[in-house]
Amino acid sequence: MSISEYRTMSRPVLSGLPATGQTRRLTPGGGPGVVGRCRDHARSALEDWGWLPTTDPDQQARADDVLLVVSELVTNACRYAGGPDQLVLSATAHLLRIEVLDGSDAPPRPRVPHAPGQLGGHGLHAVALLVGRWGHAPLAGRPGKVVWAEFDVP
């Protein structure tokens, strides 16, 4: 094993953060590719914060979960709310929070009953399985909402 491989494996998750944490924001714009732009933004933040690259399979799986949740929340904003206005990633040594802001006041609605064999309607159920907590709130002072999800940092 090379020294650089050892350093990549042994560094703590989110080691690249300042002690007070850090927030990254993206205004993705509309049109084709918005989900990909948001995923790329999230991947770049995970790289800067020391989560990626990794040779630890558990850490890689957790990073993949984060990117999947970003994709699901942004896809829902595109499908049901006219697209995301902003993607916000906030991280501390103990928590990674994803926020997707959009201009719709309508809350996200998981399909009930959930039918695993049915086409579509699985995104919010997947989010609920992958994260520690998720929810939504109205935006202060303007129309719209924020849909958020939180990962506890291992």
Side-chain angles (χ1 to χ4, degrees), residues 19-95:
T20 58
Q22 191 173 72
T23 298
R24 299 283 181 92
R25 297 177 188 278
L26 174 68
T27 304
V34 68
V35 175
R37 286 192 299 277
C38 289
R39 278 180 67 92
D40 290 347
H41 178 74
R43 179 181 304 281
S44 176
L46 293 177
E47 289 170 354
D48 289 348
W49 294 336
W51 201 321
L52 291 174
T54 182
T55 56
D56 179 337
D58 292 332
Q59 188 170 320
Q60 182 64 55
R62 193 62 146 171
D64 291 342
D65 290 349
V66 169
L67 297 174
L68 177 59
V69 168
V70 167
S71 294
E72 290 296 340
L73 296 182
V74 171
T75 296
N76 280 354
C78 291
R79 184 169 287 158
Y80 303 111
D85 295 336
Q86 194 171 70
L87 169 67
V88 181
L89 303 169
S90 301
T92 67
H94 305 288
L95 183 75

